[in-house]
Amino acid sequence: MRLAIIALLAPLALMSSACGIATADFSAGISFSADIDDPDNFYDDFVLFDPNDSEDFRDNRDKIEDGKIRRISVIISRVRGGHEASLGVGQIDVRAAPMDATEPPALQFLDNPEDDPNGPFITGIARWDPVALVQGQSFDLKLDQGELGEIHDLIFERGGPLEVRFVGLADKGPVNFTFDVDVELDFTARVP
């Protein structure tokens, strides 16, 4: 009897495995800018980053099975008057932003950050060592694999905007420049 059941189930198992869910690999790039303008050598800025700004990501959002941040690259696209710094280090911190956010929530709480209801930032997800803070300088950030798990959940599971905080220290101030940031995502999605 057991052999008869196995004989009947074996073809069904083969057919169901042949009809498995197909997947495809995708890449998506999302770009945004941050304007740094601080009178001292400490600098920071807050921006919103929404992975749904990428058409490939948005169109496959509900089918994503796995994903990762492959690379974050930065170029200093503009240096404005009064910029005195020549070298700088820094990091990127991230947290979930409200789904309806149109500006970084932290900007509303700069004077009283303890009143900010949006929760703490995940700090140091990406860092840069001393780089020249000159126009045209480009560099890849070092990704902290330990912190990226939480960020991956925010990007690939939650699916809404993120608040990104840039924090850095220059050799001298004031600092006055624009970062252009490219985030490259790789993900696997189910396909029909």
Side-chain angles (χ1 to χ4, degrees):
M1 177 75 168
R2 190 179 297 177
L3 287 177
I5 292 173
I6 292 174
L8 289 173
L9 293 178
L12 290 174
L14 286 174
M15 286 192 311
S16 68
S17 68
C19 297
I21 297 173
T23 60
D25 293 329
F26 293 88
S27 293
I30 300 110
S31 299
F32 57 92
S33 295
D35 289 318
I36 306 295
D37 183 10
D38 286 293
D40 298 314
N41 65 331
F42 173 81
Y43 56 92
D44 64 351
D45 192 30
F46 300 89
V47 297
L48 284 182
F49 160 73
D50 192 341
N52 294 303
D53 288 345
S54 164
E55 184 178 345
D56 285 336
F57 185 87
R58 183 179 57 251
D59 291 349
N60 293 289
R61 172 83 192 85
D62 60 336
K63 302 174 203 95
I64 292 175
E65 294 192 349
D66 186 39
K68 69 176 185 171
I69 297 173
R70 177 176 13 120
R71 179 177 169 207
I72 301 175
S73 58
V74 173
I75 185 167
I76 299 174
S77 59
R78 184 172 172 212
V79 172
R80 293 178 292 280
H83 178 75
E84 295 292 328
S86 55
L87 290 174
V89 299
Q91 70 181 38
I92 292 178
D93 307 329
V94 177
R95 69 176 175 181
M99 291 295 194
D100 60 349
T102 57
E103 67 175 26
L107 295 177
Q108 301 168 21
F109 301 98
L110 289 177
D111 292 333
N112 298 307
E114 64 279 355
D115 294 339
D116 188 341
N118 296 294
F121 282 89
I122 302 166
T123 59
I125 67 139
R127 300 177 192 276
W128 60 94
D129 289 332
V131 296
L133 297 177
V134 297
Q135 190 161 317
Q137 176 70 30
S138 63
F139 50 97
D140 287 345
L141 303 186
K142 295 178 183 175
L143 303 176
D144 183 329
Q145 298 302 320
E147 299 292 347
L148 283 181
E150 290 183 68
I151 302 305
H152 290 155
D153 289 346
L154 290 176
I155 292 174
F156 296 104
E157 300 293 325
R158 179 179 175 269
L162 304 176
E163 184 174 17
V164 179
R165 174 175 61 191
F166 294 87
V167 181
L169 189 63
D171 58 342
K172 57 186 168 183
V175 290
N176 195 347
F177 60 89
T178 299
F179 276 137
D180 288 339
V181 181
D182 290 315
V183 179
E184 297 174 20
L185 305 173
D186 289 335
F187 57 95
T188 301
R190 295 181 308 279
V191 293

